[in-house]
Amino acid sequence: MTCRICGRATREVLNLGYSPPANALKRSPSEDDQAYPLVVDWCSTCDNVQLRETMSAEALYRNYLYVTPDSATLDAHYEYLVSYLVGNGYLASDASVIEPGSNAGHFLRHLQPKVASVLGVDPAREISQMANDSGIPTITDFFTAEVADAIVKERGRANLIIARHCLAHNPSPHEMVAAARSAIADDGFFVVENAYVLNTIENGEFDQVYHEHMFYFSIRSMSALLAMHGFHLVDVSMSLVHGGSAIFVASPKPLPAGPAVQKYEARERLFLNAQAFDRFAARARDVRNQLTALVRSLHADGMSIFSYGATAKGNTLLSYCGLTSAEIPFCVDSTPMKQGLFLPGSNIEVIPEATSQSPDYYLLTAWNYQDEIVGKVRRAGNYRSQFIVPIPFVRIV
Ligand code: JHZ
């Protein structure tokens, strides 16, 4: 294929076979699953890592089930993010802020008391309604050029546009970046937060590959994308959230790239290469072999195993490993919209945290909240269940 950013030829670096879309949970295990390929390609010209075959954003997000969880880990991240943006002069108290992909408005709720105005834009019908109902004004749509124009006509240009974990989620990131360029004030900033490719690869997080994650951005691919739409990458900050995420800061003004951009770009030149991708693919196979052997032997010994977190990445993990309700009958998850449904492919039933008995083991499919979830389970009085943590390597804690 050709690169969706720079148009040059790409090469395959990971093939996880076919998997159903992660958030296509079902009302009944007898419903059919539609599975699509999960093949990752790398463009060595601009270092863009991308899904070869993409699904339409319309199919993935209009009736979406991922609601940002209430989480101490995320609250701490929002605190950090705001202090980073304010401390570096990217966000002022009189700012008007737009957040594409705002989900139920968790981040904007955090920001609202600290700025002049907030506006969410999210295509998920039910979830954007939840945001509006809770006092976060939200337009139910994708952040396109037309939507951006309408916003500018009504409210003027924004001082900050912040796209958290959504720019990589669309077959054409050009559309959102172009919309941001037309809606940003001349002295404003466009901030993108996404899983960072070096963390994904170096931590062996192959389960971050699912149909919603169409891009795995690097400094170089992000700079190339931004430059095509008149933005300059000026800063980057790294966060541990979601397995390791980059916060990219761009300006329409030709400001010089700061030292952090140069530092991480230099790291990428050293570590983002064909050998790194080979190791990444080998680690995926190792996790599959070890996890399936462990779960099947525990199951054969009569141990009960539930999964914890009906995550998108958990779906990739279960699907690639071929684990199903035969070994893992229940998945515990705090999201009311997911409860009572069945995970696609594996047919595992999602149950609320409160109704979970104490299985012998939890497979922690939400491994990015390990401390928070283990702490929550212990505080609820369950000292019995052990946790199988699959990433970065299979272990029992
Ligand atoms: P979580 C989603 O991925 C989808 P997922 C999306 N594509 C993306 O990019 C990333 O987020 C950022 C549950 N939970 O955040 C709630 C508990 O049950 O890892 C969630 O369903 N108890 C937009 O789905 C899931 O785990 C808890 O105490 O991989 C976490 O999903 C906590 C903290 C969470 O993202």
Side-chain angles (χ1 to χ4, degrees), residues 103-105 109 112 125-140:
N103 200 267
R109 193 162 309 115
Q112 202 172 33
R125 294 190 186 96
E126 215 170 319
I127 297 172
S128 59
Q129 187 59 46
M130 286 162 64
N132 278 310
D133 291 347
S134 72
I136 302 299
T138 303
I139 297 172
T140 307

Side-chain angles (χ1 to χ4, degrees), residues 38-60:
L38 285 176
V39 179
V40 179
D41 279 23
W42 168 47
C43 167
S44 56
T45 307
C46 73
D47 270 340
N48 182 30
V49 180
Q50 56 209 297
L51 269 198
R52 179 175 300 176
E53 290 179 46
T54 57
M55 296 181 63
S56 82
E58 193 72 34
L60 288 170

Side-chain angles (χ1 to χ4, degrees), residues 1-6 46 48-51 54-55 57 100 142-145 163 166-181 190 192 194 212-217 221-222 224-229 231:
M1 72 173 274
T2 53
C3 175
R4 284 201 184 79
I5 291 182
C6 75
C46 73
N48 182 30
V49 180
Q50 56 209 297
L51 269 198
T54 57
M55 296 181 63
F142 292 97
F143 189 60
T144 58
C166 65
L167 182 63
H169 295 55
N170 195 299
S172 174
H174 294 285
E175 190 173 61
M176 189 185 285
V177 181
R181 183 66 187 84
F190 176 41
V192 175
N194 253 117
E212 291 171 25
H213 282 181
M214 304 183 198
F215 294 89
Y216 307 82
F217 287 117
S221 64
M222 182 58 75
L225 172 63
L226 292 167
M228 292 168 92
H229 300 280
F231 277 118

Side-chain angles (χ1 to χ4, degrees), residues 64 66 69-71 165 169 210 212-213 242 308-313 332-335 338 353 366 368-369 372-373 376:
Y64 199 40
Y66 175 76
D70 289 324
S71 147
H165 302 275
H169 295 55
Y210 46 88
E212 291 171 25
H213 282 181
H242 292 301
Y308 207 119
T311 55
K313 53 191 165 292
V332 173
D333 194 284
S334 60
T335 314
K338 294 179 181 172
E353 289 171 313
N368 46 322
Y369 298 106
E372 184 168 352
I373 288 176
K376 185 191 262 188

Side-chain angles (χ1 to χ4, degrees), residues 10-65:
T10 62
R11 54 166 282 200
E12 178 179 318
V13 289
L14 183 71
N15 188 337
L16 298 178
Y18 281 66
S19 184
N23 278 302
L25 278 74
K26 308 185 289 188
R27 288 186 199 291
S28 148
S30 60
E31 276 175 41
D32 284 344
D33 295 302
Q34 303 288 329
Y36 303 93
L38 285 176
V39 179
V40 179
D41 279 23
W42 168 47
C43 167
S44 56
T45 307
C46 73
D47 270 340
N48 182 30
V49 180
Q50 56 209 297
L51 269 198
R52 179 175 300 176
E53 290 179 46
T54 57
M55 296 181 63
S56 82
E58 193 72 34
L60 288 170
Y61 305 119
R62 280 296 184 194
N63 301 306
Y64 199 40
L65 286 180

Side-chain angles (χ1 to χ4, degrees), residues 193-214:
E193 180 183 312
N194 253 117
Y196 177 51
V197 69
L198 274 187
N199 291 129
T200 303
I201 289 171
E202 289 175 351
N203 298 339
E205 298 170 12
F206 71 91
D207 57 346
Q208 296 277 21
V209 176
Y210 46 88
H211 300 97
E212 291 171 25
H213 282 181
M214 304 183 198

